[in-house]
Amino acid sequence: MTGDGRSPAAAFRESTPGSEVELAYAGFDTFLKSDPTDVEDVAGADAAVLGAPYDGSVSNRPGARYGPRAVRRASGWLAYLSGYKGGLTNMRTGKQVDFSSLDVVDCGDVPVFPTDLETTAESITAHVATVAEQGVMPVFIGGDHYCTFPAFRGFAEGSEHETVGLVQIDAHTDTAAESPVFGEHFHGSPTHHISESPHTDFEHVAQVGIRGYESPEFFEFAEETGLGLYTIRDVEERGVRDVVGDAIEHAAAETDAVYVTFDIDSVDPSVAPGTGTPEPGGLSASQALAVVETLGAHPAVGAADLMEVAPPYDPTDETANLAAYLLTTLLERQFAE
């Protein structure tokens, strides 16, 4: 101890300018360098981050189990910039933001069971519901996209909303009722299960950026069910902000809140190659940011996730970096303006 009762570490920090700034690659990997917090103690926060390092229900390449850690690590850069500059100017929106003023906590990863999808789903539902019960926005990082179904269920049950809309940003519709290979529960089926749940139906679901190939007669299916379907061609022809504006209004109509799910494979693989089922011709990075800028400003949004980041397929880490920017931008628009 020093003569005034301080520890040597405390004395050093107090006497050395810059020692209070944590570098992006130092310290603990929490989202935006936020405080690690037990899932039962988040009351009063704006948002609580949870991860699900699980990819046991993929149909193509595994690796999304490493997504939550990679996205958290990438978010450290934004926290570092804001911390040492005392805030930032968002040059895309013209808004001022200080990420240290965002009341975001990180609850770590929920327990997952690599060979037990059912128990993993129950774990996700319970932990997301616990956050929602406290009136806090769940922000969920996956993990493969099947995990969105139990997370959506947890938000609806915990918040006690009668009807919850869904905005899905994705390359694929994930509406398969069953696969002869993967069964009823895999990452091609979460939107089907969400629509079959007591909390919503296809009339309250909007999908943006769909491309590639889907089931035969899918446009007829969308029309019959009331699904709000906005393909990548719609985005190209109408502009991303107009399309997303229509999508959020579709999902918010006659619902109590909207859950946003963003599959990183909605972005073109030339920009975000770190994902399990890439499809050419997707959103640009600028379009993806415009998506979350638009969604984050809408008052109906009550929960969000970012799924399918698979770091092993992107040695540059740019996929995780974009994912961190997307979630941060959404939170900025929700709580910092």
Side-chain angles (χ1 to χ4, degrees):
M1 302 294 287
T2 60
D4 58 6
R6 295 178 298 166
S7 70
F12 175 83
R13 288 194 300 267
E14 292 173 14
S15 63
T16 308
S19 60
E20 75 284 357
V21 176
E22 186 169 86
L23 296 169
Y25 46 82
F28 296 104
D29 286 330
T30 61
F31 192 79
L32 288 178
K33 297 288 186 180
S34 56
D35 292 333
T37 305
D38 189 275
V39 72
E40 296 179 348
D41 297 322
V42 302
D46 292 325
V49 177
L50 306 98
Y54 181 84
D55 58 13
S57 51
V58 297
S59 60
N60 196 18
R61 306 186 298 184
R65 69 186 68 180
Y66 304 110
R69 177 174 292 179
V71 175
R72 285 183 171 109
R73 184 182 303 120
S75 74
W77 175 250
L78 290 165
Y80 160 71
L81 285 179
S82 179
Y84 93 86
K85 292 186 176 183
L88 298 167
T89 301
N90 186 329
M91 298 301 292
R92 286 180 57 90
T93 65
K95 304 293 186 179
Q96 301 298 307
V97 59
D98 181 352
F99 293 126
S100 66
S101 69
L102 289 176
D103 197 352
V104 177
V105 297
D106 195 321
C107 300
D109 292 336
V110 307
V112 299
F113 303 82
T115 60
D116 188 341
L117 175 57
E118 182 177 357
T119 304
T120 296
E122 292 173 356
S123 174
I124 292 169
T125 296
H127 286 77
V128 172
T130 299
V131 169
E133 285 175 351
Q134 298 170 74
V136 175
M137 177 179 180
V139 177
F140 186 62
I141 308 175
D144 71 55
H145 213 170
Y146 179 79
C147 299
T148 291
F149 167 48
F152 178 95
R153 182 174 60 196
F155 171 65
E157 292 177 356
S159 61
E160 298 184 348
H161 290 313
E162 184 174 346
T163 306
V164 177
L166 177 73
V167 173
Q168 177 182 347
I169 315 301
D170 208 329
H172 315 96
T173 67
D174 296 345
T175 54
E178 187 174 7
S179 161
V181 177
F182 301 105
E184 297 180 6
H185 296 272
F186 71 113
H187 77 157
S189 69
T191 309
H192 163 77
H193 293 295
I194 287 171
S195 71
E196 293 288 309
S197 76
H199 312 295
T200 199
D201 55 41
F202 277 122
E203 291 184 355
H204 303 302
V205 176
Q207 301 179 325
V208 175
I210 305 301
R211 62 188 190 274
Y213 297 91
E214 278 296 331
S215 301
E217 314 301 332
F218 191 81
F219 287 105
E220 289 78 0
F221 169 82
E223 185 174 354
E224 291 170 1
T225 59
L227 170 66
L229 178 63
Y230 304 90
T231 69
I232 195 65
R233 181 61 60 86
D234 294 318
V235 172
E236 293 167 348
E237 293 180 351
R238 295 180 48 202
V240 67
R241 293 184 187 275
D242 283 348
V243 167
V244 175
D246 285 352
I248 184 64
E249 292 302 328
H250 178 102
E254 300 181 0
T255 63
D256 302 309
V258 171
Y259 185 110
V260 170
T261 179
F262 197 114
D263 188 326
I264 201 66
D265 72 19
S266 62
V267 181
D268 193 80
S270 64
V271 176
T275 193
T277 312
E279 295 275 2
L283 299 171
S284 69
S286 182
Q287 288 173 321
L289 287 164
V291 168
V292 292
E293 287 168 6
T294 304
L295 293 174
H298 200 284
V301 173
D305 69 37
L306 195 296
M307 311 302 284
E308 296 278 356
V309 172
Y313 308 111
D314 182 5
T316 69
D317 293 331
E318 284 307 313
T319 307
N321 185 52
L322 175 60
Y325 270 74
L326 292 170
L327 283 179
T328 301
T329 299
L330 189 143
L331 290 169
E332 174 187 338
R333 297 303 299 272
Q334 279 273 299
F335 301 114
E337 295 184 4

